[in-house]
Every structure is written in structure tokens, then in C-alpha cells.
Amino acid sequence: MTQPISKMLLALSALSAAIPASAFAQDAIAKTSFVENFDTINRKIWYISDGWDNGAHQNCTWSKDQVAVENGVLELTFEQRKAGKRDYACGEIQTRKRFGYGTYEARIKTADGSGLNSAFFTYIGPTDKQPHDEIDFEVLGKDSGKVQVNQYISAKGGNEKLVDVEGGANAGFNDYAFVWEKDRLRYYLNGTLIQDVTDPSKIPSNDQKIFFSLWGTDTLSSWMGKFDYQGPAKMQIDRVAFTAPGEKCQFPDSITCTLD
């Protein structure tokens, strides 16, 4: 069951209001391709969310202590610990620069736990003096056997689709990718096309930042499941890449190696 659209818009609009201006000090448009294998966290590239939450729907506070690199893997964690106004702490990382049309790829193992959301997405909004555009992969801990894809155009969503993840998104690493073009948006899971959007009114147009986040809720249970804390949870990101239009694939398993 997907979250009611009104609640989704409330949750996501709070995102832009909550991010402090310091997060955008080096904001710029990036045109070049990159591959990030997370040997370290390059603070010139990545901004770590710290010290706030995105609104009443979120039961944790973003904390830099919940973001770390271990053995070449980025780890975002969720744990019971007093942080800010919340009794739980959670992790989020975002690029400082914005990216436009191209291919976005991430290799992820998601967290366990009803009421948790492991997300790989791009986003831009009012804090950047831009309309709210967004492209999402989200795995809800209540059912890690599925991933939800979705996109927002000027804060209008309603494009959700749930797709089975063979073996479970939490059982091992899976490859998530989307190819964003002016007139087409394609979502891929482990190299297989799972959603093909060709309606221009349902395709974002504004350059966006890349986000990874792990967070929880006490209130959005109809969408994310009833919150049921069973101990610390962990989302792992082994790799993320952006390939600009027309550029060759950057690593052997890239979806761009197989696309026409």
C-alpha cells in the first residue's frame, strides 16, 4: 500500500524547509560524469545532514555520527539515541552540486525494520529557489521484498510503482538506476527495465542533487508500516555514479554499457 499523496507531499515539502542554508554554500550545476566508490567521504562533494529533522512525520534527527565509511562502503545508520528533538538518530548524505539529464546508478543494501525508509533519490526545491522536482527509489522496511519508484514534477507526485526485488532488498546488494532524458525517464533494477515514463508532464526538468537517506516515522504507518524498533539498522551504499548524456560507460556493470 502506498502512502496517501497528501501525506507524501507534506513529508517531502518539509525537506526543503528543514535544510539549513550552509548545505548550499558550494551549490553549483555539475555537467561531468563521476563514479564514487566511497573509499572516503569527500566533503567537497558530499554534504552530511546534521542537527535537524524534516518535520513531525520523521521520528529521528539527522546526525553526522550516523554516516560513516567502512571497508569501501558508505553506511547510514538508524539507532535509538537522543538527538535534537527526537529519541532516534538517522543518517543522510547529499551532493553539494546539482545534476541534470543523464544516468544515475547506485548499488545498495537496504535496512531492516517496519517504519523505516531506505532511499536513493534526486531532489531540488524551494530552498534552491527552484520548483520541487524529485526522482525516487525507496525501500520500505515493512516489506523489503519491494522497491517503490516515483517522481515529482513541481511538487506533483502520484507516479508510484512497486516492483519486486528478488531475494529482498535487505538480503544483499542490488543495482538501482534511472536514465533521465528530456522526453523519457527509465527505471532499472539489476539491469532490468521496470518503469518507462514517456509522458512529458510526468518527467522532471530541473537539475537536482543526489541523496541517500535512512529515516523512520511514527505517523506514516499506512505507507511505511507501523514503527517497530528492533535495534540499530543499517543501509549500505557500495557505489554511486552519474554518467552525462553521450559519455561512455564508466565501469563494467554500468547500465550505460548496455543501453542503445
Side-chain angles (χ1 to χ4, degrees):
M1 178 178 182
T2 57
Q3 180 187 16
I5 299 305
S6 60
K7 288 186 178 180
M8 292 181 72
L9 291 174
L10 175 64
L12 292 164
S13 64
L15 173 67
S16 60
I19 301 173
S22 61
F24 307 101
Q26 301 182 40
D27 192 16
I29 307 299
K31 301 297 183 182
T32 56
S33 303
F34 78 91
V35 179
E36 173 65 84
N37 290 306
F38 291 115
D39 296 320
T40 62
I41 299 176
N42 187 336
R43 296 300 187 94
K44 292 182 179 180
I45 298 174
W46 298 98
Y47 180 88
I48 298 175
S49 302
D50 183 58
W52 75 93
D53 58 74
N54 289 353
H57 66 280
Q58 184 176 320
N59 67 4
C60 58
T61 297
W62 302 125
S63 172
K64 62 183 179 182
D65 295 329
Q66 307 305 127
V67 179
V69 166
E70 294 289 341
N71 299 317
V73 175
L74 175 67
E75 296 187 344
L76 305 181
T77 52
F78 182 102
E79 67 176 344
Q80 188 170 24
R81 176 172 65 81
K82 185 67 176 179
K85 301 176 183 177
R86 304 289 186 255
D87 293 326
Y88 298 89
C90 50
E92 178 181 74
I93 192 170
Q94 58 182 280
T95 55
R96 292 183 181 273
K97 292 183 178 181
R98 290 176 261 167
F99 298 82
Y101 297 131
T103 301
Y104 296 73
E105 303 176 81
R107 186 165 175 78
I108 303 168
K109 180 180 179 182
T110 64
D112 295 311
S114 182
L116 298 183
N117 186 327
S118 299
F120 159 46
F121 63 103
T122 56
Y123 168 85
I124 203 69
T127 301
D128 300 277
K129 298 181 180 179
Q130 296 287 333
H132 172 184
D133 278 6
E134 186 168 344
I135 302 172
D136 298 320
F137 280 99
E138 295 175 287
V139 174
L140 310 179
K142 70 175 184 179
D143 183 2
S144 295
K146 297 181 183 297
V147 61
Q148 178 179 290
V149 299
N150 191 23
Q151 69 270 3
Y152 286 79
I153 301 88
S154 295
K156 183 180 179 180
N159 304 300
E160 303 92 341
K161 181 179 180 180
L162 283 171
V163 179
D164 291 336
V165 182
E166 185 176 357
N170 60 337
F173 285 94
N174 291 275
D175 294 305
Y176 304 87
F178 62 86
V179 182
W180 177 24
E181 300 168 298
K182 182 178 179 180
D183 300 315
R184 192 178 186 187
L185 174 61
R186 288 170 283 173
Y187 294 87
Y188 292 84
L189 171 62
N190 293 325
T192 299
L193 180 66
I194 58 172
Q195 175 80 312
D196 194 351
V197 183
T198 56
D199 181 347
S201 69
K202 296 184 177 182
I203 300 174
S205 59
N206 293 288
D207 296 330
Q208 302 171 47
K209 295 179 180 179
I210 302 169
F211 285 74
F212 294 97
S213 65
L214 173 62
W215 59 282
T217 186
D218 293 321
T219 60
L220 303 178
S221 56
S222 62
W223 177 44
M224 288 171 52
K226 183 179 179 181
F227 182 68
D228 182 22
Y229 185 71
Q230 297 292 324
K234 180 190 303 182
M235 174 186 181
Q236 297 177 294
I237 302 97
D238 185 45
R239 179 182 59 233
V240 59
F242 167 75
T243 305
E247 295 197 6
K248 64 181 181 180
C249 60
Q250 302 179 85
F251 56 95
D253 295 331
S254 172
I255 191 71
T256 60
C257 299
T258 62
L259 295 178
D260 295 330

